[in-house]
Amino acid sequence: MKIVLQILCFFSVLVASGQTNDSINTPKIWSLEDCINYAIANNITVKDADLVKNIAEVDYDKTKSSRLPNLFGSASESFSNGNTVDPITSDYVTDQIYSTNLGISSAMTLYQGSQISNQIKQSKLLVDQNSFLVEEAKNDIIISILENYLQLLYSKEGITIAENNLKASETEVARAKARLEAGSIALNDYTEAQSQAATNKYAVITAKNDYQQYIIALKQLLELTPEDTLEVEVIDDNIQLINLEMDKMNIYHKALNILPEMSASDLDIAINEKELDVAKGAYLPTLSLVGSVGSGYTSISNIDFTRQLDINFNQSIGLSLSVPIFNRNITKSAVKTAELNIERSQIQKQSTEKEIYKKVETAYQNALSAQEQIIAAEASQEAALQSYNLAKIKYELGELSTTDLIINQNTYTAAQQNYIQAKYLNILYHQLLQFYQGNDIKL
């Protein structure tokens, strides 16, 4: 009985191990949502934008701390010989002097033309702007993932079409060979069939190579290693056509309100306006509160070190006022530069608005074009299929030449390629229009 139990345990371990290996060897099927979420979390472009935002937050904390007083400690040891002034007692003596100075000093800016307040506000605006730039980087990655994902699916369907054509042409070669041996066709017809089969085989190789290139591009967006496998999920073939009543200007205005690059442009203007306030603040005086405590020791005194430190202990507090009179036009240049940067940021905002309109307009027009193309391509594909099927029947009956059969096959292949191209373009531009309206990308 013990031996039987041991055997059962051994086989159960083998079964469990086999199941584990199967689960490990089973490649993950990536949906579009999987790709988007993974890329947002791992893409280095997004990470870099996030790090820039973190740096802006550090600068913001540093700017807020500029309101606080500073604190410095100092200590010095000196030796002098001959006619000199004692650094501790300020007596004029002729002697060798060993002296020690200890002190702590502090200063706090009370007023600086509101520069500190404006710098803090500017730093906060920079943090907010970089938050929007992070969102912009994420949006760019989302669109890149969508485009590469659809290109990958398009290429995958292209492989299927090419392989089906190769199988059909190989069948035609076999039939042509049989008919050649039977003497019903000329040698030229047989070699044309062989040539078409070779062309279709080359098309399969090209389609597979294109597919691998899109795999590489998508893996790089996902920051996967070369050793990682990538298999994407096939989407539903149901095509959602674009609503012809959709107003592109409504889409454009929605995009202006939700896209982060517009918010970043607005903040860029506000940041430069604060920079102007900071620059103008340099025209005004600076008032600071200063204070210090210290003590010292001198060797010419007969009092011991500890008692001297107690006797010589001193404190001071005061106000320091600095009034700018002439700084070689540095402030004037800073003010002018800030004003020019405000104008430049306003122009850049207009450029951003134009770029967004161009994206919406392009997506809208391409979406309508793709919708019309897919309707025409579907009808063309169906007609080409019927023509090709009829040509194959005629070819088998000897009523059609190999050349005419190849022409019909190529026409059908082109119709298939046109259809899948229109299909994926329709999906792409429909999703882009949804994205510009603030809707999630879903396939």
Side-chain angles (χ1 to χ4, degrees), residues 314-348:
N314 60 86
Q315 312 91 38
S316 69
I317 188 169
L319 293 173
S320 173
L321 181 65
S322 174
V323 180
I325 298 175
F326 180 69
N327 63 354
R328 298 188 293 268
N329 291 327
I330 293 176
T331 301
K332 181 179 180 181
S333 298
V335 169
K336 186 61 178 178
T337 299
E339 290 173 343
L340 293 173
N341 282 332
I342 291 173
E343 293 184 25
R344 185 167 178 264
S345 59
Q346 291 171 341
I347 292 173
Q348 288 176 337

Side-chain angles (χ1 to χ4, degrees), residues 81 174 185:
N81 183 41
I185 63 171

Side-chain angles (χ1 to χ4, degrees), residues 42 46 72 74 83 92 167 177 190 204 213 223 231 264 281 283 287 305 310 312 331 390 399:
N42 296 277
V46 176
F72 294 96
S74 62
N83 297 327
Y92 186 79
K167 290 178 182 178
K177 183 179 180 181
Y190 175 64
V204 170
Q213 294 301 315
E223 304 299 340
E231 183 69 27
Y283 283 126
L287 180 64
F305 183 84
D310 183 45
N312 295 325
T331 301
L390 180 61
E399 298 177 1

Side-chain angles (χ1 to χ4, degrees), residues 247-403:
D247 185 359
K248 65 183 176 185
M249 292 308 298
N250 287 337
I251 299 174
Y252 169 61
H253 289 300
K254 285 183 179 180
L256 290 180
N257 291 327
I258 63 173
L259 290 182
E261 47 262 48
M262 279 306 305
S263 299
S265 296
D266 290 331
L267 287 174
D268 192 51
I269 296 174
I271 289 167
N272 284 295
E273 289 173 343
K274 282 300 169 189
E275 183 63 29
L276 177 61
D277 293 337
V278 172
K280 288 180 176 180
Y283 283 126
L284 301 175
T286 298
L287 180 64
S288 302
L289 176 66
V290 295
S292 66
V293 295
S295 186
Y297 164 82
T298 177
S299 61
I300 66 171
S301 175
N302 295 325
I303 304 174
D304 62 72
F305 183 84
T306 304
R307 183 158 174 74
Q308 278 198 55
L309 291 182
D310 183 45
I311 294 173
N312 295 325
F313 182 70
N314 60 86
Q315 312 91 38
S316 69
I317 188 169
L319 293 173
S320 173
L321 181 65
S322 174
V323 180
I325 298 175
F326 180 69
N327 63 354
R328 298 188 293 268
N329 291 327
I330 293 176
T331 301
K332 181 179 180 181
S333 298
V335 169
K336 186 61 178 178
T337 299
E339 290 173 343
L340 293 173
N341 282 332
I342 291 173
E343 293 184 25
R344 185 167 178 264
S345 59
Q346 291 171 341
I347 292 173
Q348 288 176 337
K349 179 184 176 181
Q350 294 175 3
S351 178
T352 302
E353 291 174 346
K354 288 175 61 179
E355 186 64 27
I356 291 175
Y357 178 76
K358 179 181 177 182
K359 289 179 180 179
V360 171
E361 174 75 20
T362 301
Y364 185 84
Q365 296 299 331
N366 287 338
L368 296 183
S369 177
Q371 177 176 308
E372 295 174 357
Q373 287 174 356
I374 195 170
I375 295 172
E378 188 174 16
S380 176
Q381 179 182 235
E382 183 62 29
L385 175 60
Q386 294 178 2
S387 178
Y388 178 48
N389 288 334
L390 180 61
K392 287 192 291 185
I393 294 173
K394 289 184 176 180
Y395 182 73
E396 291 174 0
L397 297 174
E399 298 177 1
L400 195 70
S401 68
T402 303
T403 300

